[in-house]
Amino acid sequence: MAIEADPGFRLECGVCGASSDAAPLASLCTICGGPQLVRYPEVAELGPDVAARWADRPRGMWRFREILPLRQGEVPISLGEGDTPLLPLLRLGEDLGLRLLMKDEGRNPTGSFKDRGLAAALTRAVHDGAREFVIPSAGNAGAALAAYAARAGVPARIFLPEDTPPGVQVRCRAFGAEVTAVDGLITDCGALAAEDASRTGAFDLSTLREPYRIEGKKTMALEILEALEWQPPDAVVYPTGGGTGLIGTWKALEELAAIGLITNPETRLYAVQGEGCAPIVRAWLSGQQVAEPWQDAHTEAWGLRVPRARGDRLILRAIRDTDGGAIAVSDDRMQQETLRLQRTEGINACIEGGAVLAAARALRAAGQIREGETVVLFNTGNLQNY
Ligand SMILES: Cc1ncc(COP(=O)(O)O)c(C=O)c1O
């Protein structure tokens, strides 16, 4: 019988595996301090028929609610995020000898994929009783939090590196958030956000500090697989900073396999970083399970300027378990490929989208992506976000 009720969820530490009830306002694992993942104990019982229910519901990421962290009767805080197009890149695909597709996340309410994660995290936290929020951000997450906090009627404070493009700060303030520009990197912003949270009692929505941003991000992969009629692509190439989208994609593939919607989840996941800040690539190339912090991080792709990712183990495990990899590209190559996306395909691409195309080209040249494969690229934001 179809399960109409939301089947409930638990938390499992992504590092030590400890399982726990999803206590209100959960953050890191209380045993080892690792990031936690949401688990749906009844996922296998949903069965492939759930896809018909997803298809019949009103559009947006919340139609996947059986595998989202909502309790029965809860209404999501939503601005209509999700259901972005998976666009074929015909000319670029022909050039590379691939079936090339781009998930265009710039169409989200504040112009980036961060909307999905923040919608999920803020929804859960508000239902759990949080009334004030704080976040460190490279820019897009801050703008997303600002908008969703406005939607929920709760205050938000955002710590951004001071060299974040001015337009981002303007957007955050426009939505009513309090913005602090920090002379430092995202890691310095993280320390200030944590200090603010412990002083004021605000809930800290830092990447992977709480388990629910991944759940929102994973809906990108659910939509991709639905658009491909549940035939997994050969490869996914993803611009990796904190890694929530990559981990979310890995998790979505596992959940769809457990449901029975995909039978052969042999999608290889590739993480893309900038040459000036590539801790995951360095760890991958030297066979490490964790990534050492990157010194003097610099790249024009400010979403990728994350010198130390809390989810490093999980990112590295995702690319290892899927037989994928990690690759760094220069800022020049990113910029050239961003223009190519704009001028050859009409995509309103951000530089991280260009980074992914540059990486796909390099992976194809190296023979890691092979002729005729189906390859999904992510454009994680839009041009106006600069
Ligand atoms: C446009 C853009 N792309 C990619 C990333 C990296 O995303 P993730 O944290 O999921 O690795 C960010 C993060 O700020 C971003 O803003």
Side-chain angles (χ1 to χ4, degrees):
M1 207 188 96
I3 299 174
E4 278 303 336
D6 301 308
F9 54 92
R10 293 178 59 73
L11 298 179
E12 182 186 292
C13 176
V15 176
C16 75
S19 172
S20 61
D21 290 337
L25 301 179
S27 66
L28 298 168
C29 172
T30 50
I31 295 170
C32 77
Q36 306 210 78
L37 299 171
V38 182
R39 297 292 182 209
Y40 303 88
E42 293 166 46
V43 66
E45 286 149 52
L46 290 170
D49 291 349
V50 74
R53 289 210 292 284
W54 293 342
D56 280 350
R57 291 191 181 135
R59 308 311 289 171
M61 74 172 204
W62 295 99
R63 65 199 175 89
F64 302 105
R65 62 177 294 151
E66 284 85 352
I67 47 171
L68 287 175
L70 268 188
R71 298 191 198 284
Q72 200 149 16
E74 286 177 348
V75 176
I77 295 158
S78 176
L79 289 161
E81 54 290 336
D83 271 315
T84 57
L86 183 65
L87 298 168
L89 303 181
L90 294 178
R91 263 189 291 277
L92 291 171
E94 194 181 329
D95 186 26
L96 290 175
L98 300 172
R99 179 184 178 213
L100 208 53
L101 303 161
M102 179 156 257
K103 184 74 171 156
D104 188 5
E105 286 292 302
R107 316 286 186 95
N108 276 299
T110 74
S112 91
F113 68 150
K114 297 281 176 183
D115 289 337
R116 299 180 189 254
L118 270 304
L122 201 91
T123 291
R124 190 64 265 134
V126 166
H127 284 299
D128 281 349
R131 291 291 171 265
E132 193 176 342
F133 292 88
V134 65
I135 201 168
S137 172
N140 285 326
L145 171 61
Y148 285 87
R151 187 79 167 159
V154 291
R157 288 186 292 284
I158 300 165
F159 292 87
L160 295 170
E162 67 183 3
D163 56 355
T164 303
V168 176
Q169 302 190 25
V170 170
R171 267 190 304 139
C172 294
R173 291 200 173 94
F175 289 119
E178 190 183 313
V179 177
T180 305
V182 177
D183 176 14
L185 294 172
I186 182 100
T187 31
D188 304 300
C189 296
L192 288 169
E195 188 274 320
D196 177 302
S198 64
R199 185 168 36 81
T200 65
F203 190 62
D204 183 350
L205 287 165
S206 298
T207 300
L208 293 183
R209 197 175 184 286
E210 59 72 65
Y212 302 111
R213 282 175 65 182
I214 291 181
E215 295 305 289
K217 290 263 194 95
K218 99 183 168 193
T219 62
M220 296 190 289
L222 300 177
E223 291 172 13
I224 289 168
L225 269 294
E226 182 187 54
L228 294 176
E229 299 181 339
W230 314 110
Q231 298 298 315
D234 297 296
V236 164
V237 190
Y238 179 81
T240 305
T244 41
L246 190 92
I247 299 165
T249 301
W250 179 44
K251 191 168 184 292
L253 290 168
E254 281 185 0
E255 288 170 4
L256 292 175
I259 292 171
L261 271 166
I262 57 175
T263 46
N264 186 19
E266 286 183 358
T267 304
R268 307 187 304 278
L269 302 183
Y270 293 95
V272 181
Q273 301 200 294
E275 283 179 354
C277 180
I280 298 296
V281 179
R282 183 173 62 188
W284 166 252
L285 293 177
S286 54
Q288 305 296 310
Q289 319 257 331
V290 294
E292 293 300 317
W294 190 273
Q295 303 303 320
D296 304 321
H298 61 91
T299 166
E300 286 293 303
W302 37 272
L304 306 186
R305 202 175 49 164
V306 180
R308 188 177 62 231
R310 199 191 293 279
D312 55 350
R313 276 174 192 278
L314 290 169
I315 301 169
L316 289 162
R317 210 194 301 158
I319 58 183
R320 200 170 48 239
D321 282 9
T322 61
D323 216 12
I327 181 166
V329 294
S330 70
D331 284 10
D332 280 356
R333 298 286 302 122
M334 293 180 198
Q335 270 149 357
Q336 285 162 14
E337 299 292 2
T338 308
L339 282 179
R340 218 185 300 266
L341 279 169
Q342 289 156 354
R343 293 178 185 179
T344 311
E345 299 282 359
I347 305 277
N348 188 359
C350 62
I351 190 166
E352 290 81 0
V356 163
L357 178 58
R361 203 179 285 283
L363 290 166
R364 177 80 183 93
Q368 292 191 52
I369 290 181
R370 291 173 288 275
E371 169 115 40
E373 288 194 325
T374 298
V375 178
V376 174
L377 313 182
F378 281 88
N379 178 44
T380 40
N382 71 41
L383 185 58
Q384 282 72 36
N385 281 7
Y386 285 80

